[in-house]
Amino acid sequence: MAENDLLRQLESFERDSLAALEKITDEADLTKWRVANLGKSSFVMQVFSKLGEAPKEDRPKIGQAANQVRERLETALAEKTEFLNRKSLEQKLTQERLDISLPGRQPRKGRLHPANQNMREILAVLSGMGFEIFRSPEIETDEYNFELLNIPAYHPARDMWDTFYTTDPGVLLRTHTSPGQIHAMRTFAPEPIRVALPGMCFRYEQVSARSEVQFNQIELLAVGKHITFGDLKGTLQDFAHRMFGENVRTRFRPSYFPFTEPSAEMDVECFLCGGKGCSMCKNSGWLEILGCGMVHPTVLKNGGYDPEIYTGYAAGLGPERITILRHNVEDIRYFWGNDIRFLEQF
Ligand code: PHE
């Protein structure tokens, strides 16, 4: 009697469980169902734990029946789990669609600093004219920056360059690329040379819209036999034509540098007004772009060349000045201010 009761109860438990499972549509309810119907306190499991209380001869039958119920419920649970997983995957596949019509996010691309762009452009022109690029140090000695360039200590010409001195005696930040002339000559003498020396220079100056404590220069140097002022003029004119246009006019004005004799400054026709006169050229029609001259005999000697046999010319130009003039930049401090709004324009 008790045995039959129990079997019937198991049967109806199974029926109810399966019916409840049928209705389940999500994973959370499935977990709850598993705890309630297959967990420790579920009806089938209770049957197992109370099996000892049943009369001995009934136990195998009850145990077997309970086992079968449990197995069928476990199989049903596995099927349901599999079904729900497949359903949720299908749902994801149809709903979470990748919108390939959306434009991608473009990575921000960097570019060369305007000073470097301009530097490369000028050096490309100079290489095309046969100048070899020669690097020389930014930290110099007093000897190279001044003495060997015919600027002795206490000479009033030192006032032309306000200098950053370091705490090491006699060591300074170069005020111009001209000390590179000595490095180049001492490297190549007595061979003829034709080099361009680019790089950063430093001057201890009041910073303003027109002057900075750092700026680039490009130095030109040619040394050989029979080099004349005509070569200097022709080369620099050719450079101006390649840089600014075939028809641009140039002019030379006498000047003074301790390391060249004679010395000059070269102007190019103002490219904003074409020489008529405007605010950029301060109504003169001309823009000053470089200093130059024939290498002083003392400098040739210091570089290892006999000034009785060799001659040479040198020039120094400020590439930032050229960028300023070309793009009408109103403040030289923009170059090293690292303001992206300025840099982005180039
Ligand atoms: N070094 C000079 C300056 O910085 C420029 C220069 C270079 C002049 C070469 C003549 C020859 O002012």
Side-chain angles (χ1 to χ4, degrees):
M1 191 61 193
E3 178 207 329
N4 282 339
D5 253 8
L6 201 58
L7 292 182
R8 228 173 294 124
Q9 277 177 328
L10 266 174
E11 225 173 86
S12 78
F13 165 76
E14 185 182 348
R15 212 180 313 113
D16 292 349
S17 290
L18 290 176
L21 186 63
E22 192 73 32
K23 294 198 190 98
I24 285 173
T25 55
D26 66 62
E27 226 174 298
D29 285 346
L30 195 64
T31 308
K32 275 187 223 150
W33 182 92
R34 185 168 46 81
V35 173
N37 295 278
L38 285 166
K40 251 198 205 123
S41 46
S42 66
F43 183 72
V44 248
M45 294 317 208
Q46 286 300 310
V47 169
F48 283 121
S49 54
K50 286 178 189 153
L51 204 56
E53 296 165 19
K56 211 171 177 184
E57 62 277 17
D58 293 345
R59 284 182 205 165
K61 211 165 181 194
I62 297 172
Q64 202 183 21
N67 244 336
Q68 285 169 351
V69 169
R70 194 190 56 187
E71 271 168 23
R72 282 197 290 272
L73 289 185
E74 272 171 357
T75 312
L77 173 66
E79 278 168 10
K80 187 74 179 184
T81 307
E82 160 87 14
F83 172 77
L84 287 183
N85 284 348
R86 207 174 328 113
K87 213 174 85 179
S88 93
L89 179 67
E90 268 165 26
Q91 212 161 26
K92 277 187 194 154
L93 284 175
T94 50
Q95 282 170 6
E96 295 177 12
R97 232 188 271 150
L98 191 65
D99 185 355
I100 53 165
S101 66
L102 256 175
R105 286 193 196 94
Q106 216 168 29
R108 276 166 73 91
K109 240 194 273 170
R111 67 190 90 174
L112 283 179
H113 190 281
N116 286 342
Q117 285 180 34
N118 188 50
M119 186 73 122
R120 289 190 183 190
E121 199 184 326
I122 297 171
L123 291 176
V125 167
L126 291 171
S127 319
M129 295 170 68
F131 285 89
E132 187 183 333
I133 315 277
F134 188 90
R135 295 262 167 203
S136 66
E138 291 175 356
I139 297 172
E140 271 296 0
T141 56
D142 188 281
E143 189 190 12
Y144 272 80
N145 198 79
F146 294 121
E147 296 277 342
L148 296 171
L149 292 172
N150 201 28
I151 317 166
Y154 310 111
H155 189 283
R158 287 223 176 179
D159 290 349
M160 290 168 79
W161 298 274
D162 292 305
T163 312
F164 281 113
Y165 290 93
T166 68
T167 45
D168 284 350
V171 178
L172 46 83
L173 303 187
R174 67 174 173 191
T175 57
H176 50 178
T177 43
S178 300
Q181 288 189 30
I182 304 290
H183 288 293
M185 285 192 270
R186 290 187 170 180
T187 303
F188 295 111
E191 296 298 319
I193 47 182
R194 188 164 51 192
V195 288
L197 315 144
M200 197 60 85
C201 304
F202 308 86
R203 287 189 199 171
Y204 184 47
E205 279 179 356
Q206 176 75 50
V207 172
S208 74
R210 297 180 63 82
S211 67
E212 248 291 19
V213 293
Q214 66 174 101
F215 54 89
N216 281 298
Q217 275 195 349
I218 300 176
E219 189 96 359
L220 298 183
L221 173 70
V223 178
K225 290 174 185 165
H226 317 299
I227 291 181
T228 67
F229 197 84
D231 295 315
L232 163 68
K233 254 186 111 169
T235 305
L236 292 180
Q237 261 166 4
D238 185 24
F239 168 72
H241 290 161
R242 288 174 190 238
M243 234 10 244
F244 306 114
E246 205 45 54
N247 299 316
V248 81
R249 290 189 302 157
T250 54
R251 75 173 183 188
F252 286 79
R253 283 178 293 106
S255 185
Y256 170 75
F257 298 102
F259 34 88
T260 47
E261 183 62 34
S263 303
E265 244 140 321
M266 187 174 86
D267 299 341
V268 295
E269 199 172 36
C270 177
F271 22 78
L272 194 66
C273 63
K276 284 189 205 74
C278 68
S279 64
M280 184 157 82
C281 58
K282 295 195 222 97
N283 281 316
S284 69
W286 296 96
L287 300 168
E288 181 194 319
I289 65 154
L290 56 82
C292 58
M294 299 307 289
V295 181
H296 195 285
T298 302
V299 175
L300 280 173
K301 213 184 299 160
N302 290 340
Y305 291 89
D306 181 352
E308 296 296 327
I309 304 170
Y310 293 92
T311 53
Y313 64 78
L317 59 111
E320 275 90 76
R321 249 192 89 75
I322 293 178
T323 311
I324 283 176
L325 297 171
R326 274 180 151 182
H327 298 286
N328 217 351
V329 177
E330 67 238 9
D331 197 318
I332 195 168
R333 287 170 293 190
Y334 287 142
F335 276 98
W336 321 118
N338 262 348
D339 189 332
I340 205 94
R341 292 169 300 178
F342 169 72
L343 300 173
E344 236 166 26
Q345 296 175 48
F346 296 88

